[in-house]
């Protein structure tokens, strides 16, 4: 990439001013993404942001790369078509919990299933913001919103469980309040080949303020966050060191030093485990019984759908030769009608070469 | 060997009928291909149930279990599969019962005697045996123990009885080949290719075919054999294509002519799935066929591919088009080229999925939210699908717009003899890419077409954002300005209207003015053409205009209509084009409608023409 001009954060900010509510977590995420882009060594014209509908989906308008603001729920399908058509592009999808997990749930799981090489940033604020406060599929049961004045009855989804259940090759979680950490996670996602889901716990200051407070609060975050590191034991807490231990097939929180528990008893994180079981355990850990796991849950290598499609095209071109129209037209049974008076027909290839 | 009379015919219509597992579609298409190669012009009507293997011998109507394939072969102008078959090959009593109602008296019935058991007669609802009760006296009966003779012929082969029985369709085909003087080689070649990996089955089917042929020759069943003279087709190379095949060929060709990658995003749906099957074969042409998770994902992936610079297609049928309509509106708003193919079927909802209809026209024209005009083209016959695909691509790219192509089940599954074009004579499709990054504006337009230029990701210096939110004229920035919204809506509408200036004027077959103009569109072409030419032959004042361009309508159509006293619009719906014409031109056209999942017969159109002419006020007598 020697001929790629050195870009700065500024180069990625479009001339349009972001119009999210003051204090919205989306601004922080935009900032982090703008900061990460120049570090990737990808020319600006090869970067595309594709979004659905919702507050977060305004995102592409604020980036100075290519951008496509599409339809509610459908960004994953559009990004899939785009990436297949041109695998050279770095395709980033921006979506929210309503967009990706409710109306777009089908496209979300199928993008993951195929392992199409797109980076999917899921802004999870556990609410519908743009339509002014209705509960979303990640809102906890009982949530009071405009559409659920007596509390929602729906059980909520975990974006992580859903992604891991669909065998995401990459899943990570970050928070909007810790920009440096978010940037490091975005860089990990960018480096991953395949569908990379980054769930960002994002604060909707207007309609669901403090939804992630338990996890993000400065005072308590070291007790309430579990920072995942590959190959390291799952230990958290500043004053009291706690850790995650497997009890049978159930994870539990234990305190180091208590009841003879040592570091050796603590589960070691393995983001590269080929089975998604461990990542799934992590996806089930929720407040208040467990700390919120942050970081890379899973990052395994697998062929990407877009690579496979193009590989197949190349293989068949090698096998059959480059397609020419004349060959195409004359495939199958053909015959000639001669200009002669008898109009004698002649079967040319009564054994088609293309069945 | 007995010597028989050989009777020359200028056309003949044959229907093969059996249970859906009897291989009648295969038998019919084998007969068709061979006939095409020996030089006949032809039109086919495959007609099958939605069930893959419905219970044997159960009556339709009950009649869903019977599958049939009708083909008309002939010397000249075979534009329809024939109103009434001259010959019916029926593999069991149910197939006889269901199809007998369309058979004219005096027609030939070829029946598999082995299947006329009490049990089968009973299942078909026969109270007495039609072979002996005199009810078939008005027909010419040819009864052969087709199943039994097939088993006899295959006696030596080490195959299970059901496998042997399944070869009976080739026995019947062999009989027909002898009767109509067709060579066996094309079908034996096909069998060898088809069963290349199971030589025993190949052997069995070939044996059955030739046994049928020789049986017909030796047994004194048929008083005469027939010769259908070859058609006077334009000199050149030909092959037979189904409508869906021709669409696929046309799309691959269009992509080559435009030098764009071809991308199909689709989801399986009858009767459009064969477009997917076809395009999936041609990977060496760089064709990407993407079977999406649903109809919406299919069109969205296609739109994403279009944004990325592919010639993007999505194929579906009516219910699928409903699901795609939101994405179509985004394509209209973002002015991206996209071709949506709707192979129409009998609706609403699941309807009768394997039967044909023309009832999605209004959905295609108007079935979207917002002011969202779109270009709509319709195919008229299987071979026409190739040309329509090329034109759709041309328009989509030139005007930067989605285009809907309407086909239907009848065209999609029917076959015709396609005159293979010379690839070197095909016109290139020009893609307009911006060249000056400084001057680039995403929504700046070409003066002639009003199409915007197509900058795609990867082009340095042209980075821009598009989306569903209203765009400021030229810059494409988000704009909620009321006047700008009206302006952009008007520009989108004007652009579609502009297309009419670039396509040929509507042609008319027949007198340039007169009493009656019959206007048709889509798959009714053959029946209407045939009925009109028949009427013209009798000196009636009738002309025919068949529309390919349904939006925008041809620029001369309004004026054309005024030259005739009456307009008749036959459609396989309740008058959708008729409504459109009445709205556009303030006319009160006469309608002729049919909603039976079957194409028009020539007779039905002809009756409509006669009725329309009779309804005209009597002219003052010349004194
Ligand atoms: S409504 Fe909530 S999510 Fe939307 S912009 Fe405002 S604060 Fe952000």
């Amino acid at each position: 990439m020697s001929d790629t001009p050195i870009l700065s954060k500024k180069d990625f900010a479009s001339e349009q001013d972001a119009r999210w509510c003051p204090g919205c977590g989306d601004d922080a995420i935009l900032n982090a993404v703008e900061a990460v882009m120049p570090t990737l060594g990808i020319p600006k014209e090869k970067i595309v942001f594709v979004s659905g509908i919702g507050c977060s989906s305004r995102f592409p308008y604020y980036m100075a790369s290519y951008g496509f603001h599409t339809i509610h729920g459908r960004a994953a399908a559009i990004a899939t078509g785009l990436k297949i058509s041109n695998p050279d592009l770095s395709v980033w999808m921006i979506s929210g919990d309503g967009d990706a997990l409710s109306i777009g749930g089908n496209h979300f799981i199928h993008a993951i299933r195929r392992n199409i090489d797109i980076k999917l940033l899921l802004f999870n604020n556990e609410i519908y913001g743009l339509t002014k406060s209705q509960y979303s599929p990640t809102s906890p049961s009982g949530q009071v919103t405009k559409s659920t004045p007596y509390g929602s009855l729906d059980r909520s989804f975990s974006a992580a469980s859903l992604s891991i259940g669909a065998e995401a090759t990459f899943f990570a979680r970050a928070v909007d309040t810790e920009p440096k950490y978010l940037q490091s996670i975005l860089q990990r996602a960018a480096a991953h080949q395949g569908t990379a889901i980054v769930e960002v716990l994002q604060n909707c200051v207007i309609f669901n303020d403090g939804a992630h407070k338990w996890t993000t609060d400065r005072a308590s975050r070291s007790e309430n966050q579990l920072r995942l590191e590959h190959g390291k034991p799952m230990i958290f807490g500043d004053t009291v060191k706690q850790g995650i231990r497997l009890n049978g097939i159930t994870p539990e929180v234990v305190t180091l030093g208590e009841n003879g528990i040592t570091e050796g008893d603590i589960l070691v994180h393995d983001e590269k485990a080929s089975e998604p079981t461990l990542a799934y355990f992590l996806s089930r850990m929720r407040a208040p019984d467990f700390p919120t796991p942050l970081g890379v849950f899973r990052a395994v290598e697998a062929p990407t759908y877009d690579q496979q499609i193009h590989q197949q095209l190349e293989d068949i071109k090698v096998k059959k030769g480059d397609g020419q129209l004349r060959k195409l037209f004359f495939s199958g049974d053909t015959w000639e009608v001669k200009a002669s008076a008898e109009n004698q027909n002649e079967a040319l290839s009564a054994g088609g070469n293309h069945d | 060997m007995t010597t028989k009379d050989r009777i020359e015919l200028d056309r003949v219509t044959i229907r093969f009928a059996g249970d859906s597992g009897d291989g009648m579609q295969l038998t019919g298409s084998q007969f068709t291909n061979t006939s095409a190669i020996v030089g006949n012009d032809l039109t086919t009507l495959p007609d099958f149930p939605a069930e893959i293997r419905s219970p044997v011998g159960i009556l339709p109507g009950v009649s869903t279990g019977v599958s049939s394939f009708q083909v008309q072969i002939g010397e000249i102008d075979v534009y329809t599969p024939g109103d009434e078959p001259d010959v019916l090959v029926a593999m069991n009593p149910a197939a006889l019962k269901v199809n007998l109602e369309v058979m004219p008296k005096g027609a030939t019935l070829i029946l598999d005697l082995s299947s006329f058991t009490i049990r089968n007669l009973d299942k078909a609802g026969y109270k007495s045996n039609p072979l002996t009760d005199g009810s078939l006296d008005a027909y010419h009966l040819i009864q052969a123990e087709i199943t039994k003779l097939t088993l006899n012929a295959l006696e030596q082969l080490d195959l299970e009885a059901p496998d042997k029985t399944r070869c009976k369709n080739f026995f019947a085909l062999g009989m027909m080949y002898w009767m109509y003087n067709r060579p066996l080689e094309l079908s034996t070649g096909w069998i060898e290719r088809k069963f290349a990996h199971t030589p025993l089955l190949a052997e069995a089917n070939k044996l059955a075919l030739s046994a049928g042929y020789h049986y017909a020759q030796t047994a004194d069943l048929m008083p005469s054999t027939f010769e259908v003279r070859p058609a006077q087709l334009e000199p050149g190379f030909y092959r037979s294509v189904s409508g869906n095949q021709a669409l696929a060929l046309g799309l691959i060709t269009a992509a080559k002519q435009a030098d764009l990658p071809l991308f199909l995003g689709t989801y399986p749906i009858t009767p459009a799935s064969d477009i997917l099957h076809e395009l999936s074969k041609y990977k060496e042409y760089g064709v990407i066929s993407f079977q999406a998770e649903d109809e919406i994902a299919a069109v969205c992936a296609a739109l994403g591919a279009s944004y990325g610079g592919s010639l993007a297609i999505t194929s579906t049928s009516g219910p699928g088009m409903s699901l795609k309509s939101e994405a179509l509106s985004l394509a209209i708003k973002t002015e991206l080229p996209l071709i949506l193919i709707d192979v129409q079927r009998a609706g609403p909802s699941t309807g009768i999925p394997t039967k044909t209809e023309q009832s999605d026209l209004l959905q295609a024209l108007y079935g979207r939210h917002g002011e969202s005009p779109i270009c709509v083209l319709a195919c008229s016959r299987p071979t026409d699908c190739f040309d329509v695909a090329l034109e759709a691509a041309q328009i989509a790219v030139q005007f930067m717009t989605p285009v809907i192509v309407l086909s239907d089940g009848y065209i999609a599954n029917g076959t015709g003899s396609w005159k293979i074009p010379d690839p070197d004579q095909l016109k290139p499709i020009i893609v307009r890419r911006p060249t000056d990054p400084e001057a680039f504006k995403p929504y700046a337009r070409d003066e002639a077409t009003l199409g915007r230029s197509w900058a795609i990701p990867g082009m340095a210096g042209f980075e821009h954002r598009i989306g569903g939110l209203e765009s400021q004229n030229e810059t494409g920035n988000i704009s909620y300005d009321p006047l700008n919204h009206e302006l952009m809506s008007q520009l989108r509408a004007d652009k579609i209207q502009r297309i009419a200036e670039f396509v040929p004027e509507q042609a008319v077959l027949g007198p340039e003015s007169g009493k009656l103009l019959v206007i048709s569109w889509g798959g009714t072409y053959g029946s209407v053409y045939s009925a009109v030419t028949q009427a013209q032959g009798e000196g009636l004042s009738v002309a025919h205009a068949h529309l390919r361009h349904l939006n925008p309508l041809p620029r001369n159509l309004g004026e054309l209509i005024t030259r005739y006293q009456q307009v008749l619009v036959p459609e396989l719906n309740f008058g959708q084009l008729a409504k459109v014409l009445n709205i556009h031109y303030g006319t009160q056209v006469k309608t002729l409608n049919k909603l039976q999942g079957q194409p028009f017969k020539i007779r039905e159109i002809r009756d409509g023409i006669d009725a329309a002419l009779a309804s005209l006020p009597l002219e003052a007598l010349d004194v």
Side-chain angles (χ1 to χ4, degrees):
Chain A
M1 296 260 179
S2 56
D3 51 355
T4 305
I6 307 293
L7 298 169
S8 70
K9 184 178 173 204
K10 220 168 68 249
D11 292 313
F12 283 92
S14 80
E15 66 282 7
Q16 298 216 2
D17 294 328
R19 291 217 230 148
W20 290 302
C21 307
C24 174
D26 290 0
D27 277 311
I29 305 174
L30 175 64
N31 241 301
V33 172
E34 282 172 357
V36 164
M37 284 297 134
T39 69
L40 302 179
I42 304 171
K44 205 164 71 166
E45 68 271 15
K46 292 207 168 165
I47 297 172
V48 190
F49 280 82
V50 181
S51 65
I53 295 293
C55 290
S56 60
S57 288
R58 297 294 172 94
F59 198 99
Y61 289 113
Y62 310 138
M63 297 295 298
S65 64
Y66 278 93
F68 197 177
H69 178 221
T70 70
I71 308 172
H72 202 15
R74 316 300 170 205
I78 289 173
T80 297
L82 173 63
K83 180 69 186 182
I84 296 172
S85 78
N86 186 354
D88 254 9
L89 302 173
S90 171
V91 179
W92 294 71
M93 176 181 146
I94 307 294
S95 189
D97 39 310
D99 191 55
L101 304 181
S102 191
I103 190 167
N106 201 30
H107 312 308
F108 180 78
I109 56 173
H110 286 279
I112 293 174
R113 172 175 68 82
R114 295 188 185 98
N115 198 33
I116 179 94
D117 187 17
I118 58 178
K119 317 299 156 211
L120 198 163
L121 309 193
L122 177 63
F123 295 22
N124 184 1
N125 55 17
E126 300 183 356
I127 193 82
Y128 283 82
L130 194 64
T131 49
K132 303 193 172 65
S133 179
Q134 297 84 16
Y135 70 102
S136 90
T138 56
S139 302
S141 300
Q143 173 116 333
V144 173
T145 68
K146 275 200 199 129
S147 62
T148 51
Y150 301 106
S152 70
L153 302 175
D154 297 36
R155 301 205 308 175
S156 67
F157 257 162
S158 149
S161 297
L162 186 67
S163 304
I164 309 281
E167 297 184 37
T169 55
F170 184 98
F171 182 90
R173 185 187 282 148
V175 290
D176 57 0
T177 47
E178 293 174 63
K180 284 282 168 226
Y181 188 61
L182 174 58
Q183 286 176 31
S184 71
I185 297 294
L186 291 174
Q187 271 160 336
R188 286 288 316 272
H192 179 73
Q193 302 219 324
T195 311
I197 313 286
V198 178
E199 179 189 24
V200 186
L201 304 184
Q202 173 245 330
N203 193 37
C204 169
V205 68
I206 303 294
F207 297 116
N208 204 12
D209 195 21
H212 305 297
K213 193 162 180 281
W214 193 86
T215 308
T216 57
D217 196 59
R218 272 183 180 281
S220 53
R221 71 187 182 198
S222 75
E223 275 73 50
N224 294 346
Q225 291 182 0
L226 169 65
R227 296 285 180 106
L228 299 168
E229 278 183 78
H230 179 65
K232 299 271 174 66
M234 297 180 190
I235 295 174
F236 59 98
D238 270 348
T239 41
V240 188
K241 290 262 178 253
Q242 291 185 294
I244 306 294
R245 183 176 75 169
L246 262 194
N247 181 0
I249 56 163
T250 312
E252 61 181 6
V253 174
V254 292
T255 305
L256 276 85
E258 264 180 22
N259 302 324
I261 289 172
T262 65
E263 222 181 275
D265 298 311
I266 304 302
L267 205 51
V268 172
H269 183 45
D270 180 6
E271 64 184 34
K272 296 186 168 63
S274 57
E275 278 304 312
T277 320
L278 181 66
Y280 191 76
F281 275 140
L282 293 169
S283 80
R284 303 312 301 158
M285 294 185 194
R286 299 201 216 198
D289 299 336
F290 288 94
T292 307
L294 298 181
V296 178
F297 288 41
R298 187 164 201 245
V300 295
E301 281 179 29
T304 70
Y305 186 64
D306 39 295
Q307 276 170 354
Q308 285 181 302
I309 283 190
H310 287 273
Q311 190 59 52
Q312 195 178 46
L313 291 188
E314 288 315 310
D315 292 349
I316 289 168
K317 268 183 202 166
V318 168
K319 214 171 116 193
K320 293 192 166 178
D322 229 346
Q324 297 299 325
L325 284 185
R326 199 170 294 280
K327 198 172 119 197
L328 174 73
F329 292 171
F330 281 87
S331 60
D333 293 342
T334 55
W335 66 94
E336 184 179 9
V337 174
K338 296 245 172 77
S340 69
E342 296 87 52
N343 207 358
Q344 196 62 53
N345 295 321
E346 207 173 285
L348 274 187
S349 65
N353 41 24
H354 225 303
D355 197 19
Chain B
M1 193 204 280
T2 43
T3 43
K4 306 268 166 88
D5 298 337
R6 182 176 288 196
I7 299 173
E8 291 214 346
L9 298 171
D10 61 359
R11 59 180 65 214
V12 68
T13 296
I14 300 168
R15 181 182 287 203
F16 298 89
D19 284 322
S20 56
D22 278 345
M24 291 297 100
Q25 301 302 322
L26 175 60
T27 312
S29 52
Q30 284 295 309
F31 190 85
T32 301
N33 283 344
T34 295
S35 297
I37 290 174
V38 301
N40 295 131
D41 196 6
L42 50 86
T43 296
T44 63
L45 175 62
D47 191 2
F48 42 84
E51 292 73 22
I52 306 303
R53 294 270 187 276
S54 36
V56 178
I58 298 294
L59 262 189
V62 196
S63 85
T64 52
V66 172
S67 163
S68 72
F69 187 103
Q70 184 168 318
V71 56
Q72 177 170 213
I73 57 175
E75 184 186 2
I76 38 156
D77 285 1
V78 181
Y79 283 95
T80 76
D83 277 10
E84 292 174 329
D86 302 296
V87 181
L88 170 71
V89 180
M91 300 304 279
N92 61 41
L96 172 67
K97 186 155 192 187
V98 173
N99 290 287
L100 194 63
E101 53 194 55
V102 301
M103 301 303 294
K105 306 276 181 256
T108 300
L109 310 178
I110 300 178
L111 308 173
D112 179 7
L113 202 53
S114 320
S115 70
F116 279 70
T117 60
I118 294 172
R119 205 176 111 90
N120 284 348
L121 287 166
D122 205 46
K123 271 201 289 187
Y126 276 115
K127 300 272 179 281
S128 62
N129 189 343
L131 302 181
T132 53
D133 67 6
S135 61
L136 301 177
D137 283 355
Y139 301 92
H140 176 64
L141 283 194
I142 297 178
Q143 307 173 42
E145 296 270 12
I146 294 177
T147 307
K148 213 169 280 172
L149 289 163
T150 305
L151 287 171
N152 289 349
L154 307 183
E155 206 179 352
Q156 305 299 325
L157 295 185
D158 183 21
L159 278 174
E160 301 293 329
D163 286 333
K164 291 181 181 173
T165 308
R166 261 196 287 279
C167 299
K168 68 185 173 188
N169 60 332
F170 274 101
F171 189 96
L173 181 64
M175 290 174 67
M176 298 306 287
Y177 277 170
W178 184 78
M179 200 168 154
Y180 288 95
N181 279 295
R182 325 260 93 167
L184 300 184
E185 287 71 29
L186 292 153
S187 286
T188 48
W190 183 89
I191 291 169
E192 278 163 12
R193 292 197 301 282
K194 174 81 186 172
F195 297 101
H197 301 296
T198 44
L200 201 55
L201 288 180
E203 186 60 29
N205 282 300
K206 282 196 292 185
L207 266 177
L209 180 70
S210 71
Y213 189 88
H214 292 113
Y215 170 75
Q217 189 177 33
T218 29
D220 228 355
L221 289 170
M222 304 166 191
S224 42
T225 70
F226 303 92
E227 180 74 36
V228 181
R229 287 181 295 266
Q232 306 293 320
L233 295 172
E234 246 181 90
F237 293 105
Y238 285 80
R239 65 180 276 197
S240 46
V241 287
S242 72
N244 278 344
Q245 272 175 335
L247 275 174
L249 291 172
L251 294 169
I252 297 172
T253 307
K256 283 258 176 200
Q257 296 308 102
D259 197 18
L260 295 173
L262 184 65
F263 181 97
L264 172 75
T266 190
Y267 185 76
I269 186 168
T270 301
S273 302
D274 275 344
I275 300 171
L276 165 63
H277 305 158
E278 278 299 312
L279 286 175
S280 302
K281 292 178 193 169
Y282 297 111
K283 306 227 180 286
E284 69 271 33
Y285 295 83
V287 179
I288 294 178
S289 55
F290 173 62
Q291 181 178 320
E293 57 271 23
D294 58 36
E295 293 280 1
I296 296 174
V299 65
C300 286
L303 188 59
S306 165
Y307 175 66
S310 292
L311 179 63
I313 319 297
T314 186
S315 54
T316 189
S317 187
M321 183 154 73
S322 300
L323 286 166
K324 293 178 197 295
S325 67
E326 187 185 13
L328 272 188
S329 289
L330 179 64
I332 290 167
K333 161 62 192 64
T334 50
E335 305 190 38
L336 284 167
L338 177 75
I339 299 173
L340 181 148
I341 298 166
D342 172 11
V343 186
Q344 300 164 96
R345 65 188 208 187
S349 191
T350 311
I352 318 179
T354 56
K355 309 289 172 182
T356 198
E357 209 161 270
Q358 296 184 296
S359 46
D360 292 344
L361 176 61
L362 293 180
Q363 182 184 202
L365 293 171
Y366 307 121
R368 284 167 301 283
H369 59 278
E371 286 292 345
S372 43
I374 200 168
C375 174
V376 180
L377 308 179
C379 313
S380 61
R381 38 189 334 208
T383 51
D384 185 50
C385 291
F386 179 84
D387 300 330
V388 172
L390 272 180
E391 184 172 355
Q394 168 75 51
I395 290 173
V397 169
Q398 193 179 0
F399 292 84
M400 292 294 283
T401 177
V403 175
I404 293 177
V405 170
L406 294 174
S407 176
D408 64 42
Y410 168 60
I411 299 172
N413 293 315
T415 47
S417 298
W418 179 53
K419 182 161 183 285
I420 299 174
D422 178 354
D424 301 334
Q425 300 297 315
L426 296 169
K427 274 194 261 153
I429 294 175
I430 309 295
V431 176
R432 278 181 55 241
R433 299 245 184 264
T435 47
D436 179 4
E438 295 305 314
F440 174 67
K441 289 182 182 147
Y443 283 86
R445 290 166 197 283
D446 177 66
E447 271 180 34
T449 62
L450 295 181
R452 68 184 192 93
S453 60
W454 194 6
I456 57 172
M459 287 171 63
F462 298 93
E463 293 84 357
H464 65 283
R465 275 67 56 196
I466 56 171
L469 287 169
E470 186 59 280
S471 307
Q472 188 181 51
N473 190 21
E474 300 198 340
T475 67
N477 292 335
I478 300 176
S479 166
Y480 298 144
D481 172 15
L483 290 178
N484 176 74
H485 173 55
E486 191 165 275
L487 171 69
M488 293 302 277
S489 302
Q490 191 63 54
L491 282 168
R492 290 187 285 264
D494 289 350
K495 181 176 78 168
I496 299 303
Q497 278 311 313
R498 273 299 161 92
I499 297 169
E501 292 174 24
F502 288 77
V503 299
E505 293 201 335
Q506 180 60 46
V508 175
L509 174 86
E512 281 185 9
S513 62
K515 288 189 179 162
L516 183 66
L517 174 67
V518 186
I519 301 182
S520 57
W521 68 278
T524 56
Y525 172 69
S527 332
V528 177
Y529 170 88
S530 305
V532 170
T533 45
Q534 195 187 72
Q536 287 170 347
E538 292 168 26
L540 300 179
S541 173
V542 186
H544 179 203
H546 188 82
L547 308 186
R548 173 187 285 182
H549 304 95
L550 293 158
N551 197 46
L553 288 162
R555 58 184 183 276
N556 62 328
L557 188 61
E559 186 272 326
L560 205 67
I561 284 175
T562 62
R563 296 203 231 133
Y564 300 85
Q565 291 176 39
Q566 177 89 269
V567 174
L568 173 69
V569 183
E571 291 177 88
L572 299 176
N573 59 39
F574 280 161
Q576 301 196 1
L577 177 64
K579 286 189 184 76
V580 172
L581 295 177
N582 288 344
I583 291 170
H584 272 259
Y585 305 117
T587 48
Q588 275 300 324
V589 303
K590 272 203 169 313
T591 56
L592 175 62
N593 309 114
K594 179 174 177 180
L595 228 78
Q596 300 167 14
Q598 296 292 336
F600 276 116
K601 292 186 187 326
I602 299 172
R603 177 80 256 151
E604 292 165 337
I605 305 283
R606 183 56 208 278
D607 288 348
I609 291 173
D610 292 349
L613 286 172
S615 74
L616 287 174
L618 287 175
E619 279 163 287
L621 289 171
D622 289 328
V623 186

